[in-house]
Amino acid sequence: MPTGIKRYAAVVQYDGSAFCGFQKQKHSPSVQTELERALSYVANSPLILSCAGRTDTAVHASHQVIHFDTSANRIGHNWVQGANSQLPDNISLSWADELGADFHARFSATSRTYRYIMAPSKARPAILANGVTWVKFPVNPEAMQEACEYLLGEQDFSAFRGAGCQSLSPFRNVTSANIYQAGQLLVFEVSANAFVLHMVRNMVGALLEVGYGRQQPDWIKTLLEVGDRCQSAATAPSNGLYLVDVNYPEQFALPELP
């Protein structure tokens, strides 16, 4: 890194409903565009940032991690307060600090955790309609949890890989996958070293088929063995998906998620 340039990291949360995703696009508003605009204002010079995971259109985050390089000398509080004064209401920095040049928001991460939030109800939810996915038919959470067991471990996730995925390999290592109740909501939480395109939403689509009783739990095992996306279920909507945690080696001392 050139002399005088420092590397900063930040934790960001956002409601993705109004954005084409995290990554900057020429044709649509993105989270990255807004963050770079606000942080460049604080730095008083243009800057480019990198993120832990490029969330898709209308996907949310409560714990996205970014980093950027700049010659501007600011403390964490300055970055947070200054950027938040320039950001729209649906994006906010919650933490920032200087880290070493060996930190990279994406490549230093050891795992990512997503939650997919469903609202099982006969009536369409009006509150937080953009933050949950309406499940209008009765589901069996126990069957869905049984199906989650087949997602664990390092496997070929071609059956849950979206078209247009640019990853060189479909193999990913899922370390945990669970269905649980949170009040009236049903939550799918999954952690892995990384994810292929639309992987979580495609998992949820398949798990819902099991929850509806249309498929048995071991159908997930069959899908993984066949590795054919066309034989799996439809992709679940994006509005229920959240990036909720990114883990890094302890040496970087990023804040832990409560």
Side-chain angles (χ1 to χ4, degrees):
M1 186 178 295
T3 303
I5 302 297
K6 298 180 179 181
R7 176 157 295 180
Y8 294 91
V11 174
V12 184
Q13 55 183 282
Y14 50 85
D15 179 337
S17 304
F19 301 104
C20 66
F22 184 91
Q23 189 174 17
K24 188 161 42 180
Q25 304 285 343
K26 293 181 179 179
H27 57 82
S28 300
S30 70
V31 178
Q32 182 178 2
T33 297
E34 293 293 341
L35 284 169
E36 288 182 349
R37 179 188 59 79
L39 290 167
S40 295
Y41 172 86
V42 180
N44 198 29
S45 64
L47 56 80
I48 298 174
L49 61 85
S50 297
C51 70
R54 295 177 295 183
T55 52
D56 297 331
T57 299
V59 173
H60 319 294
S62 62
H63 196 86
Q64 171 74 274
V65 178
I66 64 171
H67 83 258
F68 53 92
D69 299 334
T70 177
S71 60
N73 187 15
R74 309 281 188 271
I75 62 172
H77 176 80
N78 295 149
W79 289 114
V80 171
Q81 297 300 318
N84 285 346
S85 72
Q86 301 300 311
L87 287 167
D89 291 342
N90 48 8
I91 305 176
S92 177
L93 265 65
S94 57
W95 172 90
D97 205 353
E98 181 182 351
L99 292 184
D102 58 338
F103 175 82
H104 193 288
R106 177 184 176 189
F107 298 121
S108 298
T110 57
S111 70
R112 292 125 174 112
T113 299
Y114 282 88
R115 288 190 189 126
Y116 193 92
I117 302 179
M118 296 161 276
S121 173
K122 292 181 179 180
R124 173 178 55 83
I127 298 174
L128 297 179
N130 291 327
V132 299
T133 290
W134 177 32
V135 176
K136 65 179 74 175
F137 303 112
V139 293
N140 181 344
E142 289 76 19
M144 296 172 73
Q145 177 60 44
E146 184 179 344
C148 284
E149 299 300 315
Y150 297 104
L151 297 172
L152 299 176
E154 186 169 358
Q155 304 185 67
D156 182 338
F157 282 93
S158 293
F160 301 109
R161 186 182 190 184
C165 180
Q166 298 177 355
S167 176
L168 297 178
S169 172
F171 282 82
R172 295 294 185 268
N173 185 11
V174 174
T175 53
S176 67
N178 292 287
I179 292 284
Y180 60 88
Q181 298 280 160
Q184 297 181 1
L185 301 175
L186 185 65
V187 181
F188 171 57
E189 182 170 313
V190 59
S191 298
N193 60 336
F195 293 84
V196 292
L197 182 66
H198 298 160
M199 180 170 159
V200 180
R201 292 166 57 197
N202 289 334
M203 285 177 169
V204 172
L207 290 172
L208 282 171
E209 290 296 301
V210 174
Y212 294 146
R214 299 169 184 167
Q215 299 288 349
Q216 294 301 307
D218 61 0
W219 180 59
I220 301 298
K221 179 182 179 182
T222 301
L223 290 176
L224 289 164
E225 291 174 345
V226 173
D228 184 358
R229 174 73 192 103
C230 295
Q231 295 189 33
S232 189
T235 304
S238 57
N239 51 301
L241 183 58
Y242 296 77
L243 173 61
V244 298
D245 195 16
V246 186
N247 284 326
Y248 295 92
E250 292 183 1
Q251 68 193 69
F252 296 120
L254 267 73
E256 293 185 4
L257 185 70

